[in-house]
C-alpha cells in the first residue's frame, strides 16, 4: 500500500471512530499523523472534533464553528507530536479565548491521561465545573482520582457519573474501588458485580 493511501485510510478511520463515539480510539489514530508530522486544516479539524467528543464529520461542521475545532485540533496535534510545553501554551490560550467551551478541558485531560491520570485531574475538574451535567467528565475524573489514590474524592464523582449514565463502566470501577477503600466493602462488591 502506498504511504498516501495509508494516510487516507487512517484519516477516514479516525473520522469514523469519532462518528460512532469512540473518541479515544480516534485520538490514537490521529497520533499517527502527529508522529509523522503530517498536518492540514481538515486533519486538525477532525482531531479537534474527536478530542472535543463531537460526532459530526469535518465536512458537516458549520463555518462559524470551524475555528474552535481547528484550534483545538492544532493544540492536540502539538501535544501528540511530542511538544507538551507548546501544547500547554496552546491549550491555555484556548481556555482564555473559549472559557465555557464544553469538552475543551476534557480534550486536554484525555491527552494528559495518556501520560498519567494524576496529570489530568485538574483538567477534568475544570471540565465538570464548566459542564456539571456531563457524566463522561465525572466518570473520567472519578477514575483519575481513583488511580491517584484519592478515594474519598473519587466516590462522589463516580456517583454523579452513574446518576447520569448508570452503565458507565469506568464510573462503576471507580465507585467500587472508592467504596472498598473508604470502608463500605459490601456496597463495593455489589457495584463491582454489576
Amino acid at each position: 500500500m502506498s504511504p498516501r493511501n495509508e494516510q487516507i485510510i487512517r484519516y477516514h478511520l479516525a473520522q469514523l471512530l469519532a462518528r460512532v463515539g469512540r473518541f479515544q480510539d480516534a485520538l490514537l489514530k490521529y497520533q499517527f499523523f502527529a508522529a509523522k508530522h503530517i498536518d492540514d486544516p481538515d486533519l486538525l479539524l477532525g482531531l479537534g472534533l474527536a478530542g472535543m467528543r463531537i460526532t459530526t464529520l469535518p465536512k458537516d461542521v458549520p463555518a462559524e464553528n470551524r475555528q474552535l475545532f481547528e484550534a483545538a485540533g492544532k493544540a492536540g496535534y502539538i501535544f501528540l507530536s511530542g511538544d507538551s510545553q507548546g501544547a500547554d501554551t496552546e491549550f491555555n490560550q484556548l481556555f482564555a479565548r473559549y472559557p465555557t467551551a464544553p469538552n475543551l478541558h476534557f480534550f486536554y485531560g484525555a491527552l494528559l491521561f495518556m501520560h498519567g491520570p494524576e496529570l489530568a485531574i485538574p483538567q477534568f475538574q475544570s471540565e465538570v465545573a464548566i459542564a456539571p451535567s456531563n457524566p463522561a467528565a465525572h466518570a473520567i475524573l472519578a477514575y483519575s482520582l481513583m488511580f491517584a489514590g484519592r478515594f474519598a474524592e473519587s466516590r462522589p464523582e463516580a456517583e454523579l457519573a452513574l446518576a447520569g449514565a448508570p452503565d458507565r463502566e469506568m464510573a462503576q470501577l471507580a465507585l467500587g474501588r472508592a467504596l472498598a477503600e473508604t470502608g463500605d466493602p459490601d456496597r463495593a462488591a455489589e457495584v463491582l458485580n454489576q
Side-chain angles (χ1 to χ4, degrees):
M1 176 183 315
S2 76
R4 178 75 180 137
N5 287 343
E6 179 185 10
Q7 292 171 18
I8 291 168
I9 291 169
R10 285 180 182 270
Y11 173 67
H12 288 290
L13 178 58
Q15 285 184 13
L16 292 173
L17 288 167
R19 178 82 171 143
V20 298
R22 292 179 50 191
F23 304 110
Q24 198 63 29
D25 292 333
L27 290 179
L28 293 174
K29 296 299 176 196
Y30 282 114
Q31 189 170 20
F32 166 85
F33 297 99
K36 298 205 177 279
H37 304 288
I38 301 165
D39 74 351
D40 72 31
D42 287 337
L43 180 90
L44 297 179
L45 177 61
L47 175 56
L49 290 167
M52 292 181 67
R53 308 177 66 79
I54 306 293
T55 58
T56 304
L57 292 172
K59 68 180 183 65
D60 298 328
V61 175
E64 64 270 13
N65 297 342
R66 290 180 72 93
Q67 186 177 11
L68 166 61
F69 298 124
E70 285 175 356
K74 178 183 175 192
Y77 180 89
I78 292 169
F79 185 92
L80 292 172
S81 67
D83 183 2
S84 57
Q85 198 167 24
D88 190 60
T89 300
E90 288 288 325
F91 272 108
N92 283 314
Q93 289 172 357
L94 280 171
F95 300 146
R97 203 170 351 152
Y98 303 100
T100 60
N103 289 324
L104 189 54
H105 285 278
F106 194 114
F107 182 16
Y108 192 28
L111 294 171
L112 291 169
F113 190 89
M114 294 181 205
H115 295 283
E118 65 284 344
L119 297 172
I121 290 171
Q123 294 304 321
F124 295 139
Q125 288 171 326
S126 293
E127 186 61 43
V128 298
I130 290 168
S133 63
N134 182 342
H138 286 287
I140 191 113
L141 175 56
Y143 198 69
S144 300
L145 289 164
M146 177 198 72
F147 269 105
R150 295 163 59 178
F151 303 109
E153 293 172 76
S154 176
R155 182 177 174 172
E157 294 299 333
E159 289 172 339
L160 284 168
L162 291 171
D167 295 332
R168 193 166 295 273
E169 293 173 357
M170 184 180 292
Q172 290 170 334
L173 288 171
L175 180 59
R177 177 78 190 275
L179 289 166
E181 297 292 339
T182 59
D184 194 345
D186 293 336
R187 184 157 175 240
E190 178 186 321
V191 168
L192 292 172
N193 283 330
Q194 289 178 359

